[in-house]
Amino acid sequence: MSDVQKKSALSPVSASARFLAADYLLPISAAPIADGAIVVDKTKIVAVGTKTELAEKFPQIKVENFGEAAIMPGLVNCHSHLEITAMRGFLDDAEADFYTWLIKLTKTRGEILTEADVKAAALAGALEGARAGITCFGDIGRFGVAGFEALKTNGLRGVVFQETEFSPTDKTADEDFEKLTDKFLELRAAETALVKAGLSPHAPYTVSRKLFERITDYALAENVKISVHAAESVQETDLMETGAGFFADIYKNSNLEWNAPGVSSIEYLSQIGVLRAKPLLAHCVKVSGADIELIAESDSRIAHCPKSNAKFGHGAAPLEKFLSRKIGVGFGSDSVASNNSCDILEEARFATLIARSAANGNRFLAAAGIIEAATLGGARALGLDREIGTLEAGKQADVIVISLADIAQQPVHDVYSALLFASNARDVRMTIVAGEEIYRDGRALKIDEAEVKAKLREISAKMRE
Ligand SMILES: [Zn+2]
């Protein structure tokens, strides 16, 4: 065979194509592959298989072998608030009283932190995610632009949901809507292939019915993703169902009129049409069987944030029921002010342990299904499962490598179990988003980590003054 013929027999890839191999490869869409490999070219996955198979097909590419490690799709964090990263640990003393916690957060964000501080903190939060193998965020922000820029600068993927301000009355709905869409349109104009803009009407107890309706109509007409905090706490349930309790007192003290709909948050969102837009619902702790049906039938999605829910003492959302009903559910860290880490492996582990220990648990969750929720589930929750969430030829190359070589992870009898029960964010060796390596072996490749940390220290000192 002449050299020319030999060349044409090779599978065509560009000179920058990469061949990654490891002891395990988890496509998620198929069973784990021992001695697996993946070929990535530009932004996409070209091939997935065993190392031997791909070496025959792509002999021209140098093999990067990670050995005792797992190659898998990037983790998805589908509910975060990167803009308040500087408040990690800052509000813990107020946690027992949610009202005091909220006031301290709002005052700090509004009066102490500058816009530059919020942006710097969001950058640090996004970097924490990249280091933790998170390739895609569903981020919510009052200063949506902070999370938006943070994802871009770190080379991450995501949807940033511009959040409403406190707007519980119909009287100001038109004005509130104009202000919200102004901010949203600025983000939309700055969208990239990786970072998209969405809208977040905050919660049924802070957004008026009219504003909810305007946002929903707009989302449907303009094809905009929306995310809502819903059914998070017993206080929210009280306000919605009986018009009494903690939030009712706040409204009364602020001279705000509130007419309780007399139904659950999910039922309310269904009645006023919000579920038509298939929202990503964060939390869903206080949900009945009927609520779960409404979520499933409308193809709404859920961001499951078990650590944040537990830290506040809100309870545990019935993850096993969401999965049994085949709802698109992914994991969310919520803000690091209420977690205090952005580690999806830890979130997934906690979710599993809580679900298994629930006295009324009707399904024993297996490790494989949970790792699927952390990747493909999160992608479904954000409506991105056609592009990401599995390792398959043609999909976007959002790929991570997690080391399994530490003594604390050995021996590995089952790779899903080793990842879920014996690994965490600090075991991540490499993060690739759309083919671009953004983190490798302790080093951030897109930004200066020392600078980010120094800025965070400066901001935190100012907060404690
Ligand atoms: Zn949240």
Side-chain angles (χ1 to χ4, degrees), residues 149-182:
E149 287 179 4
L151 295 187
K152 280 188 181 177
T153 309
N154 275 284
L156 287 155
R157 186 186 302 278
V159 181
V160 177
F161 300 94
Q162 174 63 50
E163 191 174 51
T164 51
E165 299 289 330
F166 185 63
S167 40
T169 157
D170 277 346
K171 283 178 206 146
T172 57
D174 290 330
E175 207 179 295
D176 294 335
F177 179 76
E178 295 309 324
K179 280 189 207 152
L180 178 71
T181 44
D182 280 352

Side-chain angles (χ1 to χ4, degrees), residues 422-461:
S423 306
N424 65 41
R426 291 172 182 94
D427 298 312
V428 172
R429 289 195 56 191
M430 178 161 78
T431 305
I432 293 177
V433 180
E436 186 184 19
E437 194 173 305
I438 64 169
Y439 170 74
R440 177 72 176 265
D441 292 325
R443 257 174 10 102
L445 302 178
K446 298 280 287 179
I447 57 179
D448 182 339
E449 182 163 333
E451 206 176 280
V452 171
K453 278 190 193 159
K455 184 77 191 140
L456 205 54
R457 275 194 294 271
E458 203 180 284
I459 299 167
S460 63

Side-chain angles (χ1 to χ4, degrees), residues 79 81 140 229 282-283 334-335:
H79 186 74
H81 300 267
I140 294 190
H229 292 80
H283 305 305
D334 211 348
S335 78

Side-chain angles (χ1 to χ4, degrees), residues 10-11 13-14 30 43 77 134 157 193 277 430 455:
L10 301 177
S11 299
V13 283
S14 76
T43 60
N77 183 351
I134 293 164
R157 186 186 302 278
M430 178 161 78
K455 184 77 191 140

Side-chain angles (χ1 to χ4, degrees), residues 314-346:
H314 285 150
L319 174 64
E320 70 286 352
K321 292 183 185 164
F322 303 156
L323 291 172
S324 293
R325 201 57 189 80
K326 301 208 171 352
I327 293 167
V329 52
F331 296 112
S333 61
D334 211 348
S335 78
V336 293
S338 63
N339 191 317
N340 301 355
S341 65
C342 172
D343 179 343
I344 291 300
L345 287 175
E346 185 180 290

